[in-house]
Amino acid sequence: MKTEKIYSAGIDIGTSTTKMVVSSFLLKNVAGVTHVPRIEIIEKTVLHQSPIIKTPFINKEIIDMEKIEQFIFQQYQLAQISPADISTGAIIITGESATKENASEVVHAISDTAGHFLVATAGPDLEGIIAAKGAGTLQQSKNTAKVIANIDIGGGTANIAVMQFGEVIGTCTLHVGGRLIEFHNGMVQSISPPIMKLMEKWSKPLKVGDSAEDVRVIQLIQEMVDIVTMTLSGQLTDEQHPLLLGHLPTWDKPVEAVVFSGGVAACIYENECTNRQYDDIGEKLAKSLFQHEQLQSFLWLKPEETARATVTGAGTQTTEISGATIQVDAEVLPLKNVPVFNCHMDTNSKEFDNTVKTAVERADALFSIQENRSPFALYFSQSPYLSFQDVHALCQAILKHLATRSSKEMPIIIVIQSDYAKVIGQTIRAINQTVPIICIDQIKVETGDYIDIGEVLPSGVVPVVVKTLAFHSK
């Protein structure tokens, strides 16, 4: 069976650091001769890892696009790969960088000049899930019933994703990170806005120019560690807490085990900090987390990757063909890089309205950046047996929560593992003739995957490329 070699790049632009990985993937069609092609990555080789650089900014609101492009092209030269050779990859822009004025301009400019990319501007929830996959925690959780929290701590944020049985069951993001207080020549050089807000109740807040050894620095680090602990143990209930970024924790089971990833985790597990001079609180934060008594009550697991849980690109893992029983509006195809959200249907309750409503809200929180809604596909993996009434109720729930926002640019996209697509698509069409809809089946995906849906083939099916963010491990 023939194999094919492709080159992939992964670029990660974070709040405080930017890094890049160039890899080669060996692809093979693992399906039999008479079957639908199923292309999988059978081998990943990291060809080049960039140094981790400080993310360049022109000012506090604008990312320095030119410097990032220079950095990327320099890495291509070092890897001895031309951008034209890159056939797949991912640019992920995360943390506070994702909220900068020119964030989407930066990623799209890079993807236009630097190869064929899946572009994901990851908000904090999606960032937490990507980090959990990169650290190997999501994979670890597939083999255990334990509820595991992956806490990814970078320069500006701690992104928490909680999982069980390989499924993400909740997320939360905190303003906790290594660069929230920075030093220069033994003095405090900068204090981030969330930390300033935290100190509003203090009679004598820490200020720029104070000594780096000031006791209040330790006090602030202690507050950061306390909020991480409160969040993990279900005690964070204050929606207005200055260190909470976005919503309160969304998981409903007690966390049993913890895994730390990100730059600060390199200090926790690898003692890397002792070899380098950091001019920020990262090292002290790592130490405080490691020594915190209440945190020690959780089971500590090791990540496969810490600071370098970097995406190696979007592995075009599977090219699938939809089932023949589908309903699609051909004029909205092809679609590229549509993120997927798994909508879990309880096989017993059939509470469709609430299930769809929750899934749409969570998908919006994951994939939208600063109120800009993005199209996404709702994936129904375990559909119970559906009677005609059930199908009608499910379709009404889908229309109720998605129809008002749909357009040619944002069609309703439904992916179903079983073969209900035609009946669901046609029922939606019967209830509402105008809403653009893509309803496909016999495809297996998971939250955080991206899909390309091609144009309708003469046989009436559509090709679907499922792209999973691929990570390298050591």
Side-chain angles (χ1 to χ4, degrees):
M1 238 182 283
K2 261 179 68 182
T3 57
E4 181 193 356
K5 190 181 205 173
I6 63 166
Y7 294 100
S8 166
I11 300 159
D12 185 351
I13 304 168
T15 303
S16 49
T17 60
T18 290
K19 44 197 177 291
M20 178 171 168
V21 181
V22 180
S23 317
S24 68
F25 292 162
L26 206 56
L27 304 180
K28 186 175 183 179
N29 181 2
V30 294
V33 182
T34 57
H35 294 80
V36 166
R38 185 177 173 84
I39 315 294
E40 287 193 0
I41 297 172
I42 55 165
E43 194 181 288
K44 283 185 289 194
T45 311
V46 175
L47 304 175
H48 174 71
Q49 286 192 58
S50 78
I52 298 176
I53 63 159
K54 201 167 174 178
T55 300
F57 290 97
I58 291 171
N59 58 39
K60 282 193 170 168
E61 291 310 317
I62 296 178
I63 299 162
D64 192 329
M65 191 152 73
E66 218 168 285
K67 281 203 177 139
I68 284 187
E69 286 195 325
Q70 280 169 7
F71 168 73
I72 289 166
F73 285 106
Q74 189 185 9
Q75 300 316 309
Y76 278 139
Q77 282 176 334
L78 291 169
Q80 298 179 321
I81 294 276
S82 149
D85 296 334
I86 298 288
S87 49
T88 184
I91 300 170
I92 307 287
I93 183 162
T94 56
E96 289 172 20
S97 294
T99 66
K100 299 305 177 196
E101 277 178 29
N102 63 338
S104 64
E105 189 192 330
V106 167
V107 285
H108 287 100
I110 294 167
S111 70
D112 287 344
T113 57
H116 295 279
F117 282 99
L118 180 158
V119 174
T121 314
D125 289 341
L126 184 58
E127 187 181 351
I129 294 171
I130 289 170
K133 285 185 172 184
T137 311
L138 195 69
Q139 190 58 41
Q140 267 188 358
S141 79
K142 285 181 179 173
N143 314 323
T144 172
K146 281 196 172 17
V147 177
I148 308 174
N150 192 88
I151 306 104
D152 187 70
I153 308 181
T157 54
N159 303 85
I160 303 170
V162 176
M163 57 217 74
Q164 185 185 30
F165 299 125
E167 288 287 346
V168 176
I169 59 170
T171 53
C172 182
T173 300
L174 304 170
H175 289 291
V176 170
R179 289 191 187 269
L180 295 181
I181 303 171
E182 293 184 283
F183 310 122
H184 186 64
N185 292 338
M187 311 281 241
V188 173
Q189 187 189 23
S190 69
I191 304 170
S192 73
I195 301 297
M196 297 294 279
K197 199 161 188 278
L198 185 69
M199 293 190 293
E200 278 174 9
K201 295 192 177 107
W202 292 20
S203 55
K204 271 192 81 180
L206 183 75
K207 57 189 188 302
V208 170
D210 286 343
S211 164
E213 299 305 315
D214 194 300
V215 66
R216 287 167 295 181
V217 172
I218 298 300
Q219 203 177 329
L220 285 164
I221 291 169
Q222 200 50 51
E223 290 222 19
M224 285 187 211
V225 177
D226 286 345
I227 192 175
V228 170
T229 309
M230 282 167 65
T231 306
L232 294 172
S233 52
Q235 297 165 310
L236 177 63
T237 52
D238 175 9
E239 284 186 42
Q240 302 307 314
H241 195 290
L243 295 186
L244 179 67
L245 172 58
H247 57 77
L248 284 165
T250 53
W251 58 89
D252 53 7
K253 294 177 180 175
V255 171
E256 296 163 282
V258 293
V259 177
F260 287 90
S261 64
V264 169
C267 301
I268 294 176
Y269 299 105
E270 296 162 20
N271 291 324
E272 272 191 20
C273 294
T274 48
N275 313 334
R276 290 187 297 210
Q277 186 55 50
Y278 283 84
D279 260 349
D280 58 33
I281 56 167
E283 191 177 344
K284 289 189 167 110
L285 176 60
K287 205 170 177 182
S288 297
L289 285 161
F290 191 62
Q291 292 172 346
H292 194 279
E293 204 175 316
Q294 203 181 335
L295 271 181
Q296 287 301 332
S297 65
F298 294 102
L299 171 66
W300 282 55
L301 302 172
K302 270 193 112 168
E304 282 177 24
E305 282 282 347
T306 52
R308 284 193 179 275
T310 310
V311 58
T312 59
T316 306
Q317 281 201 308
T318 52
T319 302
E320 299 191 23
I321 301 291
S322 72
T325 50
I326 62 171
Q327 176 78 30
V328 296
D329 285 341
E331 69 273 11
V332 300
L333 293 175
L335 288 167
K336 286 198 76 159
N337 294 337
V338 177
V340 172
F341 188 84
N342 195 343
C343 182
H344 289 284
M345 277 209 280
D346 184 346
T347 44
N348 304 320
S349 76
K350 294 187 180 172
E351 261 292 312
F352 300 125
D353 190 77
N354 202 34
T355 303
V356 174
K357 178 175 184 276
T358 307
V360 169
E361 284 169 358
R362 286 202 171 173
D364 265 341
L366 271 187
F367 306 124
S368 302
I369 295 291
Q370 293 182 307
E371 308 308 309
N372 293 331
R373 280 178 168 162
S374 301
F376 55 80
L378 274 189
Y379 174 55
F380 295 94
S381 53
Q382 291 150 325
S383 318
Y385 169 75
L386 299 175
S387 67
F388 180 73
Q389 277 85 359
D390 293 336
V391 168
H392 203 265
L394 175 61
C395 292
Q396 283 187 312
I398 289 168
L399 281 166
K400 179 178 169 185
H401 299 294
L402 287 170
T404 51
R405 53 189 288 170
S406 71
S407 65
K408 193 165 181 291
E409 287 69 48
M410 282 193 47
I412 294 176
I413 307 166
I414 307 291
V415 181
I416 300 168
Q417 198 176 341
S418 55
D419 50 8
Y420 279 109
K422 198 169 191 78
V423 66
I424 287 173
Q426 287 184 336
T427 306
I428 289 174
R429 176 58 68 248
I431 303 171
N432 183 326
Q433 276 91 48
T434 57
V435 54
I437 172 140
I438 302 288
C439 198
I440 58 175
D441 59 20
Q442 293 180 26
I443 299 287
K444 192 174 182 333
V445 282
E446 62 177 64
T447 298
D449 283 348
Y450 289 77
I451 55 174
D452 291 353
I453 307 172
E455 291 175 349
V456 183
L457 301 175
S459 55
V461 299
V462 289
V464 180
V465 176
V466 180
K467 299 186 228 185
T468 298
L469 293 175
F471 301 89
H472 73 270
S473 46
K474 286 178 190 139

